[in-house]
Amino acid sequence: MSQPGSTSRPRVHRGVVDTLARRIMSGRIQPGEGLPNTQDLSAELGVSRSALREAIKVLGAKGMLEVRPRTGTRVLPRSSWNLMDPELLGWCGPALDDDLVRSLLECRQLIEPGAAALAAQRATGLQLAAIEAALERMAQAASLDERVEADLEFHVAVLRASGNLFIAQWALAVSSVLLVAFRLSTGASDSYDVAFSAHRDVVEAIRMRDAPGADRGMRVVLGTMAHDLRLDAK
């Protein structure tokens, strides 16, 4: 029989990890700055020192904290963070700053047009159907949330249809932050018709096995996003 309160320990541990992570990502604790000593911080958060140490260990593994003898625990710069970690990306939430959005878009501009071209060459009937279904959901979306979720499904479906295992894994890793980016761009969009038409062009190129056309169409999709987020002139 488990001890009283034992079922709450994982929840407490997760809460400490989330709290510290969000303090770091919000800038409340700056890179190079040390955490309060374990006794004071555990008292502030209302948790045991062992739960706090476990949370610090988790964030250390993600490159966010560094623990050194005698100097304590310090926040590492964002360049050290494992930004491909899905949990870390999830902590970004709606607080993506311009640098993160721009870096993500640049990465997408390098990967997604090529993935669309590969999809035009390799997509199976089922994969093409998944891409078409996501486009249809975008067209029928009755709310921003539905449109954003359908947009994510579209891009993930194209990446999977590339037939490249690394690209497919990348899609899964960044899906949480892509969802936030889509919400930002769609909510700010002044060119949604252009963006939707470009999505449709990508589908048609994949259907026709037109790799250059799929590449071009995806570049228009991403260029429209850059324009809507005012990143195209940066």
Side-chain angles (χ1 to χ4, degrees), residues 166-184:
F166 287 97
I167 291 175
Q169 287 293 313
W170 181 83
L172 294 174
V174 302
S175 60
S176 58
V177 75
L178 282 177
L179 195 63
V180 176
F182 289 151
R183 185 178 301 279
L184 290 173

Side-chain angles (χ1 to χ4, degrees), residues 123-182:
T124 65
L126 286 175
Q127 288 171 332
L128 176 59
I131 297 170
E132 292 173 333
L135 182 71
E136 181 62 22
R137 282 191 288 275
M138 288 177 65
Q140 299 298 325
S143 66
L144 175 63
D145 285 344
E146 290 180 6
R147 186 182 301 170
V148 166
E149 289 173 5
D151 203 352
L152 175 63
E153 290 175 13
F154 177 90
H155 286 272
V156 171
V158 171
L159 291 164
R160 286 175 173 167
S162 70
N164 182 289
L165 295 176
F166 287 97
I167 291 175
Q169 287 293 313
W170 181 83
L172 294 174
V174 302
S175 60
S176 58
V177 75
L178 282 177
L179 195 63
V180 176
F182 289 151

Side-chain angles (χ1 to χ4, degrees), residues 51-85:
L52 178 60
R53 283 193 292 268
E54 284 299 312
I56 289 172
K57 187 181 299 183
V58 169
L59 296 179
K62 296 180 187 297
M64 300 179 76
L65 293 175
E66 180 182 47
V67 181
R68 287 188 175 181
R70 294 186 296 277
T71 61
T73 303
R74 296 193 174 276
V75 175
L76 292 173
R78 191 162 58 187
S79 58
S80 298
W81 300 357
N82 180 11
L83 290 174
M84 297 303 292
D85 184 297

Side-chain angles (χ1 to χ4, degrees), residues 1-62:
M1 180 180 295
S2 60
Q3 294 298 316
S6 63
T7 56
S8 70
R9 287 173 189 161
R11 193 178 306 123
V12 168
H13 168 261
R14 181 50 48 197
V16 179
V17 172
D18 289 349
T19 297
L20 291 179
R22 294 185 191 283
R23 287 186 182 184
I24 294 168
M25 299 196 80
S26 69
R28 179 173 171 182
I29 311 175
Q30 291 289 322
E33 188 176 338
L35 296 185
N37 66 59
T38 302
Q39 183 173 348
D40 291 344
L41 189 55
S42 63
E44 177 194 346
L45 298 177
V47 298
S48 68
R49 279 181 282 183
S50 61
L52 178 60
R53 283 193 292 268
E54 284 299 312
I56 289 172
K57 187 181 299 183
V58 169
L59 296 179
K62 296 180 187 297

